[in-house]
Amino acid sequence: RKKEGFMRVTFSGLERAELVDYIDSDKLTMAKIQPLSNIAGDEIEELALVKRVATEFESVASTTASFPPEVISQLTKGVSAVVLADQFAQYFPLSLDKKQQLLETLNVNERLMLIISELEKEKELSRVESSINEKVKERIEEGQREYYLREKMRAIKEELGDVANVADDTQELREMIEKNPYPEHVKQKALEELARYEMLPSSSGEASVVRTYLDWLLKTPWYGMTQDNDDLILVQDRLNQDHYGLEKVKDRIMEYLAVKQMTNSLRSPILCLVGPPGVGKTSLGKSIARSLDRKFVKVSLGGVKDESEIRGHRRTYLGSMPGRIIQGMKKSGVINPVFLIDEIDKLGSDYKGDPSSAMLEVLDPEQNSLFSDHYLEEPYDLSHVMFIATANYLEDIPAALRDRLEIIQLSSYTEVEKVKIAENHLIAKQRVMNGLKEKQFKLEENELYYLIRHYTREAGVRQLERVIASLCRKAVLAILKENKKTIKVTKKLILEWLGKEMFEYGQKEKKNQIGVVTGLAYTSFGGDVLPVEVTYFEGNGKFIVTGQLGDVMKESTSIALDYIKSNAKKYKIDPKFFDKHDIHIHVPEGAVPKDGPSAGVTLTTALVSAITGTPVYSDLAMTGEVTLRGHVLAIGGLREKSLAAHRVGIKKVIIPKSNLKDLDEIPETVKNDITFIPVESMEQVLKEALV
Ligand code: ADP
């Protein structure tokens, strides 16, 4: 057949023949043949043989299953014995010699006999083979089987071009799982995941997800722990070394640790250090860890709104990770670190779930031995961890959490304390950090006061530390550049190095003024002075309030105004005044949100002063809540407020009478400089405040 330039030739065997001779021509070789015919044997015998071939064939075909289907159908069709025998020779897997032998055997019955013996042999072979298989299968034990499969898989992977890296790191992971004392459930989980990992092509995204998971699972600490230092005297020594003062706080910490040791459990409530920034909450936490010989980790919860930041994302998310708790644990590397949870009061909440309920589980000794992280999936035991929380503002800690916490209050430092802290700790610390020897850098008490008053304005000592650090750096430069032996910090040098004074000390009003009153506020940054301004102008009774005031404080302004309206006569104010004028109240420095009822007296005083045109003493500050009938009620944060007043040089502070008991907490240095005037009613306030 000719097709597109190709020739195709089909040969088919027609009959048997014997080669007699070759005839060579110049183009091709021809053969001279002598046809041979089949020799028929006994007919009965032939029939029996054909039958036998058919049955033999059927049984072999069922075990080897390698015969073309057309042969099977041919054989069942009852063809002639000759065709049957020749077909067989063609399809049966025989050696060339055997095939030749079948061809040369002219006697049909003999040919059939030959075929039967070949079929017998084949049958025997497959029987032996299957029995060998059986035995081999028995011998391959579970481990070997696994090995075999693994090897096979590796081979497949290699075939697919997935380089053998899988082999190396799975081996490593397997060793890690088997060698280390992980809890049983973790081991189990890790092995499951490892098996999954091995199945995945190493270049696939999923493989890297599983790999990352395994990493987290195996590197999260499940067993290692440090030995606690239980020598309480040594603990106390170390706490004292690290921090100046804070006696009450340290005592509380010591009691806490003692009880813990005695009861030998961590089931006690969690310590929470509350106070303004920079008063040493974090460094106390560190110090506790150091004195107990424990590892320290810190995790900040500021701005955490989403539960999954604490508990982790489920693994189905792309790039998911464990939550901050597990992250912190991994960082610590042990199961019993001191774990500082910073800014627990800044915990938010939104539609994505309430993180405080997750925190509750972390901090509750009853529950935290089975803490669940969405990513890790396996329960994690947090019961050996010593948690310490910090907060700026007690009121902002979610109520449910507050219940679990043992609150320790730290408050602002007085100037004297700040100087002592600087002398005993900060200067030495900065010297070391900047490579200065003691005699190379001198900063003395007077200059410290000057720094505190004019370059810092804070409850703690953070800014002060920064200022000292800055002086140290300048000193290093001067020593190296100008070949100075020693630097003694003077006021002149401070002005030169730090620039002009940043804060004016005693920022109280210089003169007695009308409509301006200094209030005292207690914010998360410690105490602060809060000037209130009131002015009025012709109008029709509008009441304007500006500055960043919270709702409670806005209410206080209305209460103040209504109190004055209803007592107009007493304060000699024309009742018609309010209809003909607009009144504007402003609380400056709006950047810091202010709230709370304690500005009541301040607002009322400023209003009366403005409306009646009577000046208010400038060296006086006040705090107190006012009722509609003019009673003055107790307020919180007196210590912080009076420290703030002291900072700006106030001489007199009006306080609610019911706060007299809190005067105990106020440092002597402050009490020496400030006169506290207890009052019960608005009338008394005005009598003291108005000139
Ligand atoms: P917080 O966590 O309360 O905001 P930090 O712990 O960060 O404050 O403290 C700020 C710096 O002030 C730290 O370097 C700390 O060592 C230092 N500090 C605060 N209080 C004291 C103190 N009483 N004695 C020594 N150093 C202190």
Side-chain angles (χ1 to χ4, degrees):
R1 229 184 303 159
K2 196 167 177 186
K3 197 181 165 196
E4 292 165 21
F6 287 95
M7 295 290 275
R8 208 162 110 192
V9 182
T10 312
F11 293 95
S12 69
L14 297 176
E15 58 181 326
R16 285 179 165 70
E18 194 177 18
L19 179 70
V20 178
D21 199 6
Y22 289 111
I23 306 162
D24 270 327
S25 75
D26 33 330
K27 287 225 172 106
L28 72 164
T29 304
M30 305 266 273
K32 195 175 199 174
I33 54 161
Q34 168 73 51
L36 298 170
S37 42
N38 293 308
I39 301 163
D42 177 52
E43 244 174 80
I44 308 277
E45 191 186 51
E46 186 185 300
L47 214 63
L49 285 169
V50 167
K51 232 174 170 177
R52 178 78 192 273
V53 167
T55 45
E56 287 286 330
F57 173 75
E58 248 164 50
S59 83
V60 171
S62 71
T63 51
T64 56
S66 62
F67 291 97
E70 63 264 26
V71 181
I72 300 174
S73 65
Q74 284 283 3
L75 278 165
T76 47
K77 246 193 243 159
V79 289
S80 73
V82 176
V83 176
L84 173 67
D86 287 345
Q87 286 271 17
F88 226 97
Q90 186 183 349
Y91 291 115
F92 204 70
L94 294 169
S95 67
L96 213 60
D97 287 349
K98 271 274 171 304
K99 287 195 177 189
Q100 183 68 31
Q101 196 189 344
L102 278 170
L103 202 59
E104 284 172 15
T105 311
L106 293 181
N107 188 311
V108 177
N109 282 5
E110 252 173 62
R111 210 185 297 158
L112 287 170
M113 282 295 283
L114 253 171
I115 286 171
I116 290 169
S117 80
E118 282 308 312
L119 279 168
E120 281 293 345
K121 245 196 258 170
E122 180 66 27
K123 227 165 82 178
E124 180 62 13
L125 206 75
S126 82
R127 198 187 56 73
V128 173
E129 200 175 358
S130 76
S131 98
I132 291 176
N133 275 351
E134 205 65 39
K135 278 185 199 139
V136 169
K137 214 160 101 192
E138 270 167 31
R139 276 186 212 153
I140 296 180
E141 284 165 37
E142 201 47 21
Q144 276 172 310
R145 205 174 94 89
E146 209 181 299
Y147 175 78
Y148 168 75
L149 290 174
R150 217 175 292 296
E151 283 303 304
K152 193 156 182 174
M153 192 154 64
R154 192 181 306 176
I156 292 171
K157 287 194 166 190
E158 267 170 13
E159 274 306 303
L160 290 173
D162 271 332
V163 205
N165 81 349
V166 176
D168 305 343
D169 80 340
T170 53
Q171 204 44 43
E172 214 171 276
L173 288 167
R174 190 171 298 279
E175 265 167 37
M176 197 165 162
I177 297 167
E178 259 138 35
K179 246 186 11 222
N180 293 312
Y182 292 109
E184 207 40 53
H185 64 107
V186 174
K187 227 173 225 187
Q188 214 54 44
K189 178 85 176 183
L191 287 173
E192 273 165 33
E193 291 295 322
L194 183 60
R196 213 156 82 79
Y197 179 50
E198 286 168 330
M199 296 299 289
L200 295 164
S202 63
S203 53
S204 76
E206 211 184 338
S208 83
V209 169
V210 177
R211 177 70 231 239
T212 316
Y213 173 76
L214 273 168
D215 247 2
W216 273 107
L217 185 67
L218 297 177
K219 289 188 181 151
T220 302
W222 294 97
Y223 46 88
M225 63 195 294
T226 52
Q227 189 64 42
D228 273 0
N229 161 32
D230 48 18
D231 179 351
L232 285 182
I233 300 194
L234 190 61
V235 170
Q236 176 118 50
D237 272 359
R238 289 183 184 168
L239 284 180
N240 285 335
Q241 272 165 24
D242 289 348
H243 289 94
Y244 168 83
L246 300 172
E247 300 309 336
K248 268 198 201 158
V249 176
K250 288 184 206 157
D251 285 350
R252 285 284 300 279
I253 292 174
M254 288 306 297
E255 285 165 20
Y256 178 83
L257 295 177
V259 171
K260 231 177 204 32
Q261 206 186 94
M262 197 72 136
T263 56
N264 197 17
S265 97
L266 288 156
R267 299 230 148 194
S268 35
I270 274 105
L271 275 187
C272 179
L273 305 169
V274 180
V279 293
K281 298 182 297 299
T282 314
S283 65
L284 262 173
K286 249 185 233 172
S287 185
I288 292 174
R290 187 177 86 93
S291 42
L292 288 175
D293 284 334
R294 284 198 184 208
K295 294 256 189 291
F296 177 80
V297 271
K298 174 180 147 183
V299 158
S300 178
L301 294 188
V304 166
K305 283 194 187 144
D306 189 345
E307 190 194 359
S308 57
E309 290 197 49
I310 292 172
R311 238 191 238 290
H313 282 285
R314 290 186 194 286
R315 255 200 294 161
T316 40
Y317 290 96
L318 199 68
S320 51
M321 281 225 284
R324 297 194 186 190
I325 301 297
I326 295 296
Q327 288 183 30
M329 292 308 293
K330 183 180 169 197
K331 212 170 1 160
S332 83
V334 289
I335 62 169
N336 67 337
V338 168
F339 198 125
L340 190 94
I341 296 173
D342 211 11
E343 304 195 309
I344 200 165
D345 54 338
K346 306 280 192 307
L347 208 58
S349 79
D350 67 2
Y351 66 97
K352 282 182 184 159
D354 184 2
S356 63
S357 70
M359 271 326 285
L360 213 58
E361 196 185 318
V362 172
L363 298 181
D364 185 350
E366 300 292 331
Q367 294 184 46
N368 70 9
S369 60
L370 288 171
F371 173 67
S372 77
D373 182 282
H374 291 328
Y375 181 83
L376 214 55
E377 289 170 7
E378 291 304 306
Y380 189 81
D381 184 358
L382 289 170
S383 65
H384 302 283
V385 179
M386 180 166 172
F387 285 105
I388 297 177
T390 80
N392 287 142
Y393 210 46
L394 187 60
E395 281 71 15
D396 287 351
I397 304 176
L401 275 178
R402 214 184 311 154
D403 269 2
R404 317 282 152 127
L405 301 171
E406 174 149 347
I407 305 291
I408 298 185
Q409 288 271 3
L410 282 81
S411 60
S412 312
Y413 292 122
T414 60
E415 281 180 355
V416 183
E417 283 169 330
K418 287 181 184 177
V419 168
K420 287 272 188 262
I421 292 172
E423 283 176 341
N424 293 325
H425 295 273
L426 304 180
I427 296 176
K429 197 154 111 191
Q430 289 306 325
R431 265 199 208 113
V432 172
M433 289 190 40
N434 291 287
L436 289 163
K437 295 208 182 62
E438 193 177 337
K439 59 176 190 304
Q440 285 177 306
F441 181 81
K442 288 205 160 45
L443 175 55
E444 283 166 1
E445 190 179 323
N446 279 338
E447 284 70 32
L448 276 172
Y449 273 110
Y450 181 69
L451 282 175
I452 291 166
R453 287 177 180 173
H454 296 287
Y455 291 88
T456 74
R457 178 170 253 190
E458 58 179 350
V461 291
R462 217 179 263 172
Q463 181 66 19
L464 179 61
E465 188 170 9
R466 243 175 258 147
V467 170
I468 294 172
S470 161
L471 289 173
C472 282
R473 286 195 299 274
K474 304 258 191 219
V476 172
L477 191 64
I479 287 170
L480 293 180
K481 223 166 86 180
E482 296 155 33
N483 252 335
K484 294 223 160 97
K485 280 259 166 345
T486 173
I487 300 287
K488 186 173 180 319
V489 177
T490 59
K491 201 170 148 183
K492 190 167 145 264
L493 210 54
I494 293 175
L495 279 167
E496 189 188 322
W497 282 355
L498 299 181
K500 62 179 191 300
E501 299 173 357
M502 285 198 263
F503 302 101
E504 207 174 316
Y505 182 65
Q507 233 193 6
K508 59 172 201 240
E509 298 297 334
K510 296 261 157 26
K511 283 197 318 235
N512 300 342
Q513 294 211 38
I514 296 171
V516 178
V517 182
T518 306
L520 295 172
Y522 177 39
T523 68
S524 55
F525 300 101
D528 205 353
V529 291
L530 183 78
V532 170
E533 295 174 354
V534 174
T535 185
Y536 67 88
F537 33 85
E538 275 180 32
N540 49 15
K542 270 211 285 290
F543 187 45
I544 306 153
V545 181
T546 53
Q548 274 205 5
L549 273 60
D551 289 342
V552 179
M553 202 153 156
K554 282 195 191 127
E555 273 172 18
S556 299
T557 60
S558 319
I559 293 171
L561 192 67
D562 290 347
Y563 166 78
I564 293 170
K565 279 183 185 169
S566 60
N567 291 281
K569 226 157 139 204
K570 196 188 310 178
Y571 299 119
K572 302 195 177 70
I573 298 168
D574 176 7
K576 294 209 190 74
F577 170 89
F578 298 100
D579 300 331
K580 294 186 202 143
H581 295 90
D582 290 348
I583 299 176
H584 186 165
I585 297 188
H586 179 57
V587 184
E589 287 196 51
V592 185
K594 300 165 273 289
D595 205 5
S598 72
V601 287
T602 321
L603 292 162
T604 316
T605 309
L607 278 167
V608 174
S609 159
I611 297 170
T612 60
T614 324
V616 176
Y617 289 111
S618 67
D619 60 355
L620 172 129
M622 59 181 71
T623 177
E625 178 176 354
V626 183
T627 67
L628 269 178
R629 286 179 301 153
H631 292 307
V632 175
L633 305 181
I635 47 86
L638 186 63
R639 185 187 145 107
E640 302 294 328
K641 286 174 177 172
S642 49
L643 284 173
H646 190 241
R647 261 204 306 275
V648 299
I650 295 282
K651 291 282 175 278
K652 275 191 216 162
V653 174
I654 296 178
I655 60 167
K657 195 165 179 190
S658 34
N659 279 107
L660 268 178
K661 59 179 178 3
D662 300 329
L663 285 180
D664 287 354
E665 287 175 20
I666 292 170
E668 284 306 315
T669 44
V670 174
K671 278 199 258 192
N672 289 342
D673 294 343
I674 291 182
T675 315
F676 290 91
I677 306 164
V679 296
E680 279 176 300
S681 70
M682 205 51 231
E683 277 163 60
Q684 282 174 291
V685 175
L686 292 172
K687 213 165 94 200
E688 293 291 340
L690 299 177
V691 176

